[in-house]
Amino acid sequence: MFFYFFFALLVFQRVGELVIAKKNEKWMVKRGALEHGQEHYPFIVLLHIAFLLSLFLEVILFEKQIVNLWYFVIALLAITQLIRYWALISLGQYWNTKIMIVPNDVVVCKGPYRFIRHPNYIVVAIELLFIPLLFQAYATAIIFTLLNIGMMTIRIPAEEKALSQHTNYLEVFKLSQEPNNE
């Protein structure tokens, strides 16, 4: 029963994020945003849909149960959600599931972005590993962790390149790392 509740919450969260991303995309396009990484974006969407299907099928078909150390995994996932929403709120209307860049616009370097360039990708990596582990869905955990690593070797350089081409991103990030820069 817990799995169904957890899975529904997960799907609801992802759909909600897509709604926010679409709204933000419209706002950014009005400001002159350029989209990058269109060639790999469908594969990211496919990876996340396949992850949800794999998780559901592995848990239901193989009657997987919640792991004994569930409280540790739930605590870790709760912390990742705090980081996810900290990142989302920090970026505000600039947050998106696509690589959308408004040339010469503000580079957001607050919240978790003050410390690390791509906190949401770390959150996703943790989720793709630990959500399946919560329910002992080991095949899903391994397969989608590896697929995500492969995808991030494409996604992160594409995002870094787009940000560097159209903003002073690297300079701002470097300055944010210096002490006394709040």
Side-chain angles (χ1 to χ4, degrees), residues 10-181:
L10 189 61
V11 170
F12 179 76
Q13 179 189 44
R14 296 305 187 262
V15 170
E17 289 174 359
L18 290 174
V19 169
I20 292 167
K22 194 65 174 171
K23 180 183 168 202
N24 290 350
E25 179 182 354
K26 288 178 184 176
W27 177 82
M28 291 178 75
V29 167
K30 286 181 184 176
R31 296 178 51 88
L34 304 171
E35 183 177 351
H36 296 265
Q38 300 96 318
E39 61 282 345
H40 72 261
Y41 184 73
F43 295 104
I44 290 177
V45 173
L46 180 63
L47 184 141
H48 285 271
I49 291 170
F51 167 77
L52 291 170
L53 288 172
S54 178
L55 174 67
F56 188 84
L57 290 173
E58 185 174 358
V59 171
I60 299 305
L61 293 178
F62 296 102
E63 299 178 0
K64 300 290 185 164
Q65 300 298 315
I66 197 164
V67 70
N68 288 334
L69 293 173
W70 63 268
Y71 47 88
F72 170 76
V73 179
I74 293 282
L76 177 65
L77 292 171
I79 291 167
T80 62
Q81 294 317 296
L82 292 174
I83 296 168
R84 171 192 301 281
Y85 289 109
W86 186 25
L88 196 145
I89 290 166
S90 296
L91 287 178
Q93 290 181 296
Y94 291 99
W95 181 84
N96 208 294
T97 58
K98 296 179 179 177
I99 301 173
M100 303 289 298
I101 309 294
V102 178
N104 303 313
D105 205 351
V106 179
V107 176
V108 177
C109 208
K110 63 182 181 179
Y113 295 93
R114 186 173 188 304
F115 309 105
I116 190 164
R117 292 183 186 179
H118 303 285
N120 200 56
Y121 297 147
I122 294 170
V123 166
V124 170
I126 291 168
E127 288 177 334
L128 292 178
L129 178 61
F130 282 94
I131 289 172
L133 291 180
L134 178 62
F135 299 101
Q136 301 181 56
Y138 302 117
T140 299
I142 293 166
I143 291 166
F144 286 91
T145 294
L146 293 173
L147 288 172
N148 187 58
I149 289 168
M151 182 55 64
M152 289 303 105
T153 64
I154 297 165
R155 174 68 170 206
I156 291 173
E159 192 166 325
E160 291 279 320
K161 181 179 177 186
L163 283 163
S164 296
Q165 284 178 339
H166 301 293
T167 69
N168 60 343
Y169 166 69
L170 293 175
E171 182 181 317
V172 170
F173 183 78
K174 186 177 178 183
L175 285 173
S176 73
Q177 300 289 291
E178 293 178 5
N180 301 325
N181 276 339

